[in-house]
Amino acid sequence: MHTAEHGPASGLRVVVLGGSGCLGRRIGAAFRADGAQTHLVSRKPAGDGPADARHVALDLLAADARELAGFFGSVAPDVVVNAAGRVWQGDEAAMTAGNADLVVRLTRALARLPRPPRLIQLGTVHEYGAGTPGSGTREEQEPAPVTPYGRTKLLGTQAVLRAVADDGVDGVVLRLAQVIGAGVPATSLFGKVAAHLGEAARARSRGEEPDALRLPPLRARRDLVDMRDTVDAVRAAAVAPKADVSGQVINVGRGEAVPMRALIDRMVGLSGLDLTVAEAAPGPSPRTDVAWQQLDVSRALRLLGWQPRRTLDDSLRDLLAAALPAPVNGRT
């Protein structure tokens, strides 16, 4: 295992599960840029993936532990990054299959190897449930997820920690805040807003009045982390000493709770579009509508030497540059 503290990943063999996803592709590209031999695993390669990437076609939801162990045995990876799973697609059973059952099979497969690689499991802030207004959630807090996504991702985290304790797997969980930047899923709030702004810009170019941006009530404050900062945290976790990180849950976020309405208004402002934002009137708050999410990220600095470097404007400009038909207006 390469143990140069926070050094480059040059020479490592890295497997990225979910390598065709928006985050998996960027993780793979970063490791390749570091000089790592990188395999991107998914049912089919991304259409916009790099031509020099090693793509492995494998249905992770159908592969059993023996098949996974055979694949890992042939590659002999130093690092496995699990960026696969279900975000908000499907019902809780489908999320359980992608976020929990897969991780159990994955850890069993890695435990069979003569030299288990470093496993980096990508978790989520939603595993915690509601945060305490005015403070950041530390890793020691007992998770209390209130959504199917949070519940099933927590099962995946628990599977990794059990495998470390019981089977000698070298595993670490990065518990991510909401990731923002170019390529976020179209089904997410920011993906939907970016798509609407792109359509609005095209309508204006045709001399048409664009539709108002209609959104649900935006009462929450959320912790967000830039896509590139997230990738940097994964790279740091890949080369951190085993004694420091194996068996750890490490928060990765900006460490602040940002008002969502203010962030959407800023996004519209950066787009350069004069667009009406129509927020629906608040109704009864559902139990799953968590009002405050803020992570304490001091452990990431201590164990990984990682801290967020990009501003929210950096993230929003990246997101808009990928969605708008013209360069993003740089006004502030």
Side-chain angles (χ1 to χ4, degrees):
M1 177 75 198
H2 182 83
T3 57
E5 187 173 0
H6 315 313
S10 177
L12 292 182
R13 290 184 295 276
V14 179
V15 169
V16 181
L17 306 180
S20 63
C22 64
L23 187 52
R25 290 201 308 273
R26 285 161 178 80
I27 290 169
F31 277 117
R32 284 195 305 279
D34 279 350
Q37 183 184 113
T38 307
H39 296 77
L40 306 180
V41 180
S42 57
R43 278 187 295 178
K44 57 183 180 179
D48 58 349
D52 63 341
R54 292 178 172 87
H55 292 284
V56 179
L58 181 63
D59 186 344
L60 293 169
L61 293 179
D64 61 19
R66 184 181 299 275
E67 186 176 359
L68 290 171
F71 163 66
F72 291 127
S74 68
V75 174
D78 299 293
V79 178
V80 175
V81 181
N82 184 21
R86 300 285 185 116
V87 184
W88 301 103
Q89 311 101 314
D91 56 16
E92 189 154 356
M95 290 189 195
T96 300
N99 298 334
D101 297 344
L102 167 61
V103 184
V104 171
R105 294 196 307 277
L106 171 60
T107 56
R108 288 174 179 168
L110 296 182
R112 293 181 178 182
L113 300 179
R115 186 178 59 90
R118 165 72 47 80
L119 170 61
I120 303 173
Q121 166 75 9
L122 302 187
T124 173
V125 63
H126 294 286
E127 295 173 45
Y128 287 122
T132 301
S135 66
T137 301
R138 297 175 63 87
E139 291 88 350
E140 294 86 358
Q141 177 167 311
E142 187 70 24
V146 297
T147 64
Y149 179 59
R151 288 191 293 270
T152 57
K153 288 293 286 185
L154 178 59
L155 292 173
T157 289
Q158 292 167 340
V160 172
L161 299 181
R162 280 196 308 272
V164 173
D166 299 342
D167 303 318
V169 170
D170 176 11
V172 58
V173 178
L174 301 184
R175 197 165 266 165
L176 307 180
Q178 183 171 341
V179 179
I180 184 172
V184 297
T187 54
S188 70
L189 172 64
F190 292 104
K192 290 176 181 176
V193 172
H196 186 94
L197 291 172
E199 288 300 321
R202 285 183 280 273
R204 283 273 164 81
S205 70
R206 297 190 298 266
E208 302 169 1
E209 185 65 23
D211 294 334
L213 174 58
R214 301 189 183 280
L215 298 171
L218 299 174
R219 296 168 291 194
R221 290 174 177 257
R222 295 282 186 263
D223 201 333
L224 302 112
V225 62
D226 187 271
M227 183 86 69
R228 293 163 297 173
D229 282 337
T230 305
V231 171
D232 287 346
V234 173
R235 292 167 63 224
V239 297
K242 180 177 179 179
D244 288 352
V245 301
S246 190
Q248 295 282 348
V249 175
I250 302 175
N251 289 338
V252 173
R254 287 184 55 78
E256 61 180 353
V258 179
M260 285 296 93
R261 175 58 196 256
L263 198 60
I264 295 301
D265 287 341
R266 179 62 176 158
M267 190 173 174
V268 174
L270 287 172
S271 75
L273 294 166
D274 181 15
L275 190 68
T276 300
V277 179
E279 186 179 344
S285 180
R287 192 178 70 86
T288 57
D289 184 18
V290 174
W292 182 281
Q293 286 178 335
Q294 178 182 342
L295 294 174
D296 181 311
V297 295
S298 56
R299 182 179 289 183
L301 179 59
R302 188 172 71 253
L303 298 184
L304 302 179
W306 176 93
Q307 58 186 341
R309 296 173 47 217
R310 281 82 178 185
T311 67
L312 288 173
D313 274 7
D314 290 338
S315 305
L316 294 176
R317 286 193 173 100
D318 282 352
L319 179 54
L320 290 167
L324 297 180
V328 177
N329 190 315
R331 72 178 185 179
T332 58

